Amino acid sequence: MPRESAAKIYEVATRLFGDQSYPATSMRDISQAVGILPGSLYSHISGKEALLFSIVESGVTKYLEAVAPVAESPEPADVRLRAAIAAHVTVVAENIQLTLVAFHQWKYLEDANRRRVIDMRNAYEDMFTRIVQDGIDTGVFTTTHDARFSVLAVLGMLNWVPEWFSPNGKASTEEVAEALADVVLSGLMSPVPAAKGRKPRSR
Amino acid sequence: MPRESAAKIYEVATRLFGDQSYPATSMRDISQAVGILPGSLYSHISGKEALLFSIVESGVTKYLEAVAPVAESPEPADVRLRAAIAAHVTVVAENIQLTLVAFHQWKYLEDANRRRVIDMRNAYEDMFTRIVQDGIDTGVFTTTHDARFSVLAVLGMLNWVPEWFSPNGKASTEEVAEALADVVLSGLMSPVPAAKGRKPRSR
DNA sequence: CCTACCGATCGGTAGG
DNA sequence: CCTACCGATCGGTAGG
């Protein structure tokens, strides 16, 4: 099973890139954590840049695949935005290290690869933009500001989650998602809507 | 005027650390941009780490000094939160590169210095926490969630601003601040309040 | 602020 | 996957 080694390299690199950043992680750091000698890494991967790119790409892809279906559902915009936020928070919760790399370390990619990541990130942002714009067009959202600002507010909020979310913390993924969605949808000053279509879980 | 050189080194390093990150910026990069030879840097600064620390510290201090007075004013919580967001956005707008370094590159500081920065950052977050908690306690904010989540949502939104804000963009600092504050205070679905105490600028 | 240099470490490779 | 190594670059310094 030759692929097992490559998989271990990806796992280790994801953790180290996330903890220490890409430029501060040496190939020797990775090889040591894997348990082989530095030169031996190159039997499994082509280089440091390619390693980073494949990690970032798989991370961003997870987000695209999780949010796309809910973003494109036929529900009203507020329901879709809430579902998109929940989907995003779920991916964060299940992939914190991968998310840290995908959201911060992609900047260290060289031109061609960085461009590809930027395109994917733009596609992700566009999903949120379409939801917000649709909400404004249909009158579900009554904000008077450009959709762009609301989207950037939401994305900032979401991009910050991996910095503080702990899977072992008091708050569950669902609670975090609901709290964040409420901030965006209702604001701090509006009564939280009585959680449409959701009721205390019955067993 | 011997301090002029040191000031130029700080300016150049702020730009390079912000653009390329701390570990990806070499002392040779800095010396070249300043127009001196690498070894000559050490006549003006003690080292790379100290250079980073002084930049980060001055950046975080700007935020503390700008937000502290409005956070501690006797106004109601919603007014204070709006003013704190506006103050924050103003500092971002006037110090984008410094902000990028202060918000992202501090992680590369060694233990003692990083600890000091974390303390300052916590003090900053606490200002927002006190506003939100006070708003909840006084009934100005009606959210049913823990203040912590609202604060993290706001900080995420604010921390993301330096990534997209352009001083040359269409939106003014004031418009950006108002849009972001409205997202947090009223949410997307509530009518934007008729901008208390603010009216179309008369000349 | 320059000359001249240090030891350490970097990503990566040839050959097995 | 190891042995053995490459040239390049790193942060920093002694002495002027």
Side-chain angles (χ1 to χ4, degrees):
Chain A
M1 37 199 95
R3 292 298 91 193
E4 200 175 309
S5 309
K8 184 161 186 186
I9 292 171
Y10 283 90
E11 282 169 33
V12 165
T14 300
R15 177 167 53 80
L16 293 177
F17 289 167
D19 286 346
Q20 312 175 347
S21 92
Y22 176 75
T25 300
S26 69
M27 296 308 274
R28 284 162 177 80
D29 290 338
I30 296 171
S31 73
Q32 193 178 15
V34 169
I36 58 179
L37 292 182
S40 303
L41 288 172
Y42 296 86
S43 309
H44 304 101
I45 59 165
S46 62
K48 197 185 182 188
E49 159 100 6
L51 182 55
L52 175 61
F53 179 70
S54 76
I55 294 170
V56 170
E57 191 182 36
S58 83
V60 179
T61 299
K62 272 199 163 65
Y63 283 87
L64 287 168
E65 291 181 348
V67 172
V70 306
E72 291 155 9
S73 82
E75 302 283 345
D78 59 326
V79 175
R80 272 184 290 151
L81 184 54
R82 190 174 282 277
I85 289 171
H88 182 103
V89 172
T90 300
V91 178
V92 174
E94 292 170 355
N95 309 269
I96 293 193
Q97 299 283 4
L98 179 61
T99 298
L100 287 170
V101 179
F103 282 25
H104 294 304
Q105 307 303 313
W106 64 269
K107 292 179 184 173
Y108 297 109
L109 290 167
E110 279 154 27
D111 282 0
N113 283 335
R114 197 176 62 245
R115 212 66 60 92
R116 292 168 65 187
V117 173
I118 290 173
D119 288 344
M120 294 175 74
R121 288 176 61 90
N122 286 342
Y124 192 64
E125 297 193 10
D126 287 348
M127 290 184 193
F128 285 87
T129 302
R130 279 195 296 274
I131 297 175
V132 172
Q133 190 59 59
D134 179 60
I136 292 172
D137 294 344
T138 57
V140 174
F141 296 156
T142 51
T143 174
T144 58
H145 301 292
D146 194 295
R148 173 175 161 75
F149 295 119
S150 301
V151 171
L152 290 168
V154 173
L155 291 173
M157 199 182 74
L158 294 180
N159 287 339
W160 189 239
V161 175
E163 310 283 342
W164 55 266
F165 183 83
S166 163
N168 311 318
K170 287 159 267 179
S172 69
T173 303
E174 291 77 16
E175 285 167 330
V176 169
E178 191 190 328
L180 296 182
D182 285 342
V183 168
V184 170
L185 287 167
S186 325
L188 289 176
M189 299 179 74
S190 301
V192 177
K196 291 184 196 171
R198 192 158 18 80
K199 35 185 172 181
R201 233 190 316 266
S202 55
R203 276 162 292 135
Chain B
M1 39 199 94
R3 293 296 91 193
E4 200 174 308
S5 310
K8 184 162 186 185
I9 292 171
Y10 283 90
E11 283 170 32
V12 165
T14 300
R15 179 168 51 80
L16 293 178
F17 289 165
D19 286 345
Q20 311 175 348
S21 89
Y22 176 75
T25 301
S26 69
M27 297 307 275
R28 283 160 178 82
D29 289 339
I30 296 171
S31 72
Q32 193 177 15
V34 169
I36 59 179
L37 291 182
S40 303
L41 288 172
Y42 295 85
S43 310
H44 303 101
I45 59 165
S46 61
K48 197 185 182 188
E49 158 101 6
L51 181 55
L52 175 61
F53 178 69
S54 77
I55 294 170
V56 170
E57 190 181 36
S58 83
V60 178
T61 298
K62 273 198 161 66
Y63 282 89
L64 287 167
E65 291 181 348
V67 172
V70 306
E72 291 154 10
S73 83
E75 302 284 344
D78 60 325
V79 175
R80 272 186 289 153
L81 184 55
R82 192 174 281 277
I85 290 172
H88 182 104
V89 172
T90 300
V91 179
V92 174
E94 291 169 356
N95 309 271
I96 294 195
Q97 300 283 5
L98 180 61
T99 298
L100 288 171
V101 179
F103 282 25
H104 294 304
Q105 307 303 312
W106 64 270
K107 292 180 186 176
Y108 296 109
L109 290 168
E110 280 153 27
D111 281 0
N113 282 335
R114 197 175 62 244
R115 212 68 58 91
R116 292 167 66 185
V117 173
I118 290 174
D119 288 344
M120 295 176 74
R121 288 176 61 91
N122 286 342
Y124 193 64
E125 297 193 9
D126 287 347
M127 291 184 192
F128 285 88
T129 302
R130 279 194 295 274
I131 297 175
V132 171
Q133 190 59 59
D134 179 61
I136 292 173
D137 293 345
T138 57
V140 174
F141 297 156
T142 51
T143 174
T144 58
H145 301 290
D146 193 294
R148 173 175 161 76
F149 295 120
S150 301
V151 171
L152 290 168
V154 172
L155 291 173
M157 200 181 73
L158 293 179
N159 286 340
W160 189 238
V161 174
E163 309 284 341
W164 55 265
F165 184 82
S166 165
N168 310 318
K170 287 159 267 179
S172 70
T173 302
E174 290 77 15
E175 285 168 330
V176 169
E178 190 190 330
L180 295 183
D182 285 343
V183 168
V184 170
L185 288 167
S186 326
L188 289 176
M189 299 178 73
S190 303
V192 177
K196 293 185 196 170
R198 193 158 14 82
K199 35 185 174 183
R201 233 190 317 266
S202 54
R203 276 162 292 134

